[in-house]
């Protein structure tokens, strides 16, 4: 496969997002969010060659929830960034999508407080084939009332996995204790994915330049 179209498209997106980041004086996307510490646990099952999925132990992680454009009253894309600690860990990014065979790959803007399905959008590659991850907020798991209402993500999510075009299987749980503040944490799901996973070269060539350009400008932390 000719790598140049993906590289050219990535460079074009990099220029756009870099210019937007400089104009805003902060990240081009997901500039404002809320951070916390979490615990991720998977049930035993098929591991697809991914150590995280091979046991039932708990993995500590750092979590950041945000909205792509930071729109406070209009539909926007939800985002959740997850950094899993330890030698088996790495970075995962989730975005608001549907859960169907096709809609799991399509971004879905949502109004504030209308939380729903989050997926990795594009499949991670593993020794066992492509793999998607999905988060579903547990009902009644909003953050504590003392937090600002616009920054009260769920404190618990159910975790599902699926091969592309295949049914979902519930495999674990993510619990989060949110802080009442943002952080400048940067995530790199292409360069630092969980052990045993990687992204297809075409997707990496398309995403890397735009992500790097968007992140190059330091985040502006708001109280």
């Amino acid at each position: 496969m000719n790598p140049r179209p993906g590289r050219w498209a990535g460079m074009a997106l990099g220029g756009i997002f870099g210019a937007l980041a400089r104009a805003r004086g902060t990240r081009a996307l997901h500039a404002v969010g809320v951070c916390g510490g979490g615990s991720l646990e998977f049930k035993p099952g098929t591991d697809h060659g991914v150590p995280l999925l091979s046991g039932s132990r708990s993995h500590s992680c750092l979590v950041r929830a945000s909205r792509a454009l930071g729109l406070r009253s209009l539909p926007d894309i939800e985002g959740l960034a997850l950094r899993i600690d330890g030698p088996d860990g790495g970075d995962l990014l989730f975005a608001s999508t549907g859960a169907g065979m096709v809609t799991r790959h399509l971004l879905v803007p949502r109004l504030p407080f209308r939380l729903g399905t989050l997926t990795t959008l594009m499949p991670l590659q593993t020794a066992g084939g492509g793999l998607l991850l999905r988060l579903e907020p547990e009902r009644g798991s909003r953050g504590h009332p003392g937090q600002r209402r616009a920054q009260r993500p769920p404190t618990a999510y159910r975790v599902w996995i699926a091969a592309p075009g295949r049914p979902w299987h519930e495999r674990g749980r993510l619990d989060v204790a949110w802080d009442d503040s943002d952080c400048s944490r940067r995530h790199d799901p292409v360069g630092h994915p969980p052990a045993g996973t990687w992204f297809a070269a075409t997707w990496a060539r398309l995403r890397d330049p735009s992500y790097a350009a968007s992140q190059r400008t330091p985040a502006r932390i708001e109280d």
Side-chain angles (χ1 to χ4, degrees):
M1 182 180 294
N2 186 348
R4 285 180 292 181
R7 187 179 301 117
W8 291 338
M11 292 173 63
L13 289 172
I16 293 171
F17 285 115
L20 181 57
R22 290 190 295 273
R24 297 184 70 180
T26 186
R27 295 170 175 164
L29 298 173
H30 299 282
V32 178
V34 60
C35 291
S39 176
L40 177 66
E41 185 170 352
F42 287 99
K43 303 173 185 177
T46 305
D47 64 18
H48 301 271
V50 181
L52 281 174
L53 302 177
S54 64
S56 58
R57 65 188 184 280
S58 180
H59 304 270
S60 62
C61 51
L62 302 172
V63 192
R64 184 177 188 263
S66 59
R67 289 168 66 79
L69 299 177
L71 302 177
R72 297 181 181 275
S73 58
L74 297 174
D76 201 348
I77 302 297
E78 290 179 74
L80 189 141
L82 191 63
R83 170 158 294 167
I84 306 164
D85 296 331
D88 297 337
D91 290 351
L92 291 170
L93 295 187
F94 295 84
S96 52
T97 68
M101 296 296 182
V102 175
T103 58
R104 65 182 66 174
H105 302 292
L106 301 177
L107 294 172
V108 176
R110 296 191 181 113
L111 289 166
F113 326 124
R114 295 293 180 89
L115 303 174
T117 299
L118 301 162
T119 73
T120 48
L121 187 65
M122 299 296 292
L124 288 79
Q125 302 303 306
T126 76
L131 187 69
L132 288 133
L133 282 81
R134 165 184 162 198
L135 299 177
E136 287 289 345
E138 287 202 346
R139 292 183 179 180
S141 64
R142 283 285 193 175
H144 64 75
Q147 290 178 309
R148 288 175 289 179
R149 187 166 183 256
Q151 294 187 340
R152 286 193 335 208
T155 57
Y157 299 82
R158 291 178 294 151
V159 183
W160 302 66
I161 65 171
R166 306 295 296 176
W168 292 102
H169 299 280
E170 187 171 357
R171 282 294 303 274
R173 178 184 174 94
L174 171 66
D175 291 287
V176 187
W178 297 103
D179 298 328
D180 197 16
S181 60
D182 200 354
C183 58
S184 59
R185 188 176 307 128
R186 295 168 183 253
H187 296 78
D188 184 7
V190 173
H192 187 232
T197 72
W198 65 93
F199 279 94
T202 300
W203 173 238
R205 282 192 294 267
L206 179 63
R207 189 185 187 284
D208 266 354
S210 57
Y211 186 81
S214 173
Q215 295 282 323
R216 195 169 293 132
T217 302
R220 183 176 60 242
I221 305 301
E222 299 180 3
D223 296 327

